[in-house]
PDB file of all heavy atoms in Angstrom:
ATOM      1  N   ASP D 158     -54.966   6.349 -67.568  1.00 84.00           N
ATOM      2  CA  ASP D 158     -56.045   5.403 -67.229  1.00 84.00           C
ATOM      3  C   ASP D 158     -56.431   5.465 -65.751  1.00 84.00           C
ATOM      4  O   ASP D 158     -57.017   4.529 -65.224  1.00 84.00           O
ATOM      5  CB  ASP D 158     -55.658   3.966 -67.634  1.00 84.00           C
ATOM      6  CG  ASP D 158     -54.387   3.495 -66.954  1.00 84.00           C
ATOM      7  OD1 ASP D 158     -53.870   4.235 -66.093  1.00 84.00           O
ATOM      8  OD2 ASP D 158     -53.909   2.396 -67.291  1.00 84.00           O
ATOM      9  N   GLU D 159     -56.105   6.565 -65.091  1.00 80.00           N
ATOM     10  CA  GLU D 159     -56.476   6.687 -63.685  1.00 80.00           C
ATOM     11  C   GLU D 159     -57.546   7.755 -63.449  1.00 80.00           C
ATOM     12  O   GLU D 159     -57.954   8.005 -62.316  1.00 80.00           O
ATOM     13  CB  GLU D 159     -55.232   6.972 -62.830  1.00 80.00           C
ATOM     14  CG  GLU D 159     -54.292   5.777 -62.808  1.00 80.00           C
ATOM     15  CD  GLU D 159     -53.039   6.026 -61.982  1.00 80.00           C
ATOM     16  OE1 GLU D 159     -52.960   7.056 -61.310  1.00 80.00           O
ATOM     17  OE2 GLU D 159     -52.143   5.168 -62.037  1.00 80.00           O
ATOM     18  N   THR D 161     -61.214   9.193 -63.307  1.00 87.00           N
ATOM     19  CA  THR D 161     -62.468   8.492 -62.977  1.00 87.00           C
ATOM     20  C   THR D 161     -63.305   8.205 -64.221  1.00 87.00           C
ATOM     21  O   THR D 161     -63.732   7.080 -64.436  1.00 87.00           O
ATOM     22  CB  THR D 161     -63.291   9.336 -61.976  1.00 87.00           C
ATOM     23  OG1 THR D 161     -62.458   9.643 -60.867  1.00 87.00           O
ATOM     24  CG2 THR D 161     -64.513   8.574 -61.509  1.00 87.00           C
ATOM     25  N   ASN D 185     -66.209   1.886 -71.616  1.00 92.00           N
ATOM     26  CA  ASN D 185     -66.798   1.392 -72.859  1.00 92.00           C
ATOM     27  C   ASN D 185     -67.820   2.373 -73.430  1.00 92.00           C
ATOM     28  O   ASN D 185     -68.755   1.988 -74.123  1.00 92.00           O
ATOM     29  CB  ASN D 185     -67.392  -0.016 -72.671  1.00 92.00           C
ATOM     30  CG  ASN D 185     -68.309  -0.100 -71.480  1.00 92.00           C
ATOM     31  OD1 ASN D 185     -68.682   0.930 -70.895  1.00 92.00           O
ATOM     32  ND2 ASN D 185     -68.689  -1.308 -71.094  1.00 92.00           N
ATOM     33  N   THR D 216     -79.245   4.769 -63.325  1.00 89.00           N
ATOM     34  CA  THR D 216     -80.365   4.430 -62.442  1.00 89.00           C
ATOM     35  C   THR D 216     -81.484   5.433 -62.682  1.00 89.00           C
ATOM     36  O   THR D 216     -81.311   6.637 -62.472  1.00 89.00           O
ATOM     37  CB  THR D 216     -79.912   4.493 -60.963  1.00 89.00           C
ATOM     38  OG1 THR D 216     -78.716   3.741 -60.833  1.00 89.00           O
ATOM     39  CG2 THR D 216     -80.974   3.933 -60.046  1.00 89.00           C
TER      40      THR D 216
ATOM     41  N   SER C  68     -47.348   6.159 -61.416  1.00 76.00           N
ATOM     42  CA  SER C  68     -47.844   7.157 -60.458  1.00 76.00           C
ATOM     43  C   SER C  68     -47.807   6.637 -59.019  1.00 76.00           C
ATOM     44  O   SER C  68     -48.259   7.315 -58.107  1.00 76.00           O
ATOM     45  CB  SER C  68     -49.271   7.559 -60.829  1.00 76.00           C
ATOM     46  OG  SER C  68     -50.132   6.438 -60.723  1.00 76.00           O
ATOM     47  N   GLU C 111     -80.851  -0.251 -57.069  1.00 89.00           N
ATOM     48  CA  GLU C 111     -79.403  -0.477 -57.068  1.00 89.00           C
ATOM     49  C   GLU C 111     -79.035  -1.381 -55.913  1.00 89.00           C
ATOM     50  O   GLU C 111     -79.680  -1.354 -54.865  1.00 89.00           O
ATOM     51  CB  GLU C 111     -78.656   0.847 -56.831  1.00 89.00           C
ATOM     52  CG  GLU C 111     -78.592   1.766 -57.999  1.00 89.00           C
ATOM     53  CD  GLU C 111     -77.658   2.927 -57.712  1.00 89.00           C
ATOM     54  OE1 GLU C 111     -77.104   3.017 -56.595  1.00 89.00           O
ATOM     55  OE2 GLU C 111     -77.500   3.746 -58.608  1.00 89.00           O
ATOM     56  N   THR C 173     -57.521   0.186 -62.652  1.00 87.00           N
ATOM     57  CA  THR C 173     -56.849   1.471 -62.443  1.00 87.00           C
ATOM     58  C   THR C 173     -57.797   2.521 -61.875  1.00 87.00           C
ATOM     59  O   THR C 173     -57.400   3.669 -61.686  1.00 87.00           O
ATOM     60  CB  THR C 173     -56.249   1.997 -63.767  1.00 87.00           C
ATOM     61  OG1 THR C 173     -57.283   2.021 -64.753  1.00 87.00           O
ATOM     62  CG2 THR C 173     -55.102   1.138 -64.234  1.00 87.00           C
ATOM     63  N   VAL C 178     -69.136   0.271 -67.211  1.00 95.00           N
ATOM     64  CA  VAL C 178     -70.496  -0.279 -67.090  1.00 95.00           C
ATOM     65  C   VAL C 178     -70.658  -1.421 -68.080  1.00 95.00           C
ATOM     66  O   VAL C 178     -70.188  -1.335 -69.215  1.00 95.00           O
ATOM     67  CB  VAL C 178     -71.558   0.804 -67.420  1.00 95.00           C
ATOM     68  CG1 VAL C 178     -72.957   0.248 -67.210  1.00 95.00           C
ATOM     69  CG2 VAL C 178     -71.353   2.042 -66.583  1.00 95.00           C
TER      70      VAL C 178
END
Side-chain angles (χ1 to χ4, degrees):
Chain D
D158 59 6
E159 293 179 8
T161 307
N185 51 11
T216 310
Chain C
S68 63
E111 284 189 358
T173 54
V178 183

